[in-house]
Amino acid sequence: MKINFRLDGKVALVTGASYGIGFSIASGLADAGATIVFNDINQELVDKGLAAYKEAGIKAHGYVCDVTDEDGVNAMVAKIEKEVGVIDILVNNAGIIKRIPMHEMTAAQFRQVIDIDLNGPFIMAKAVIPAMIKKGGGKIINICSMMSELGRETVSAYAAAKGGLKMLTRNICSEYGEFNIQCNGLGPGYIATPQTAPLRERQADGSRHPFDSFIVAKTPAGRWLNPDELAGPAVFLASEASNAVNGHILYVDGGILAYIGKQPK
């Protein structure tokens, strides 16, 4: 039996992939042969992404689109189909987090996180599924989180959205599996990105930042993960190698969810 991880001839749309985790995932998909399409909220970010892909030697197609705007999403998908091809792989990566204690968070702030992190993937999936059915199959990868399973202070909206996204993932599997559409989730752990760099800087006395110490102690791997380490799992979920995997959340967290933590000394 030949196991096929290649994505040659496939069109992959990764939302919010101008930089960060989305960029790393898209780069991995490109290395496996996929044609990369991405969107972001404004032209400045799209231009930044196009420059980054070009520097990496990847020919990517960028579009300005707000994933919460259903009409805008439908127009973007139609344009991609016309200019690049039918979308074979959708990675719902675009998202935000607001770290605010729940009793201080406004309903409007809560709704904004839910809108982008949960309604956005619903709108995107809804837009690409008809063409996937017509073509005979497709792959949808939702970027979930450890907060799909765990709670933590100040992230009530994010945890609610990611918990909902886990169940949306399973329901897309349930509803469209018969059309050879596999919908799975990818749940990153704590990733070393420019955004988290301040949390990993050594303190003036040479000690670790308290949050850095907390994450390292909670992770069996004993370290933060690199964005590139999400590429392999994403390629697996986007390829024929995962055709029998559906409705699954693959946590790439260095083992945090399996670990109770170190015993205090």
Side-chain angles (χ1 to χ4, degrees), residues 140-143 169 182-186 237 242 245-249:
I140 298 173
I141 303 171
N142 292 324
I143 303 303
T169 299
Q182 290 85 49
C183 181
N184 293 289
L186 192 61
L237 293 178
S242 64
V245 180
N246 209 354
H248 178 72
I249 313 299

Side-chain angles (χ1 to χ4, degrees), residues 179-211:
F179 299 104
N180 192 32
I181 294 173
Q182 290 85 49
C183 181
N184 293 289
L186 192 61
Y190 285 91
I191 310 295
T193 64
Q195 289 78 13
T196 60
L199 299 175
R200 291 177 282 109
E201 290 180 353
R202 291 284 176 171
Q203 305 299 287
D205 62 0
S207 63
R208 289 181 180 271
H209 187 288
F211 192 77

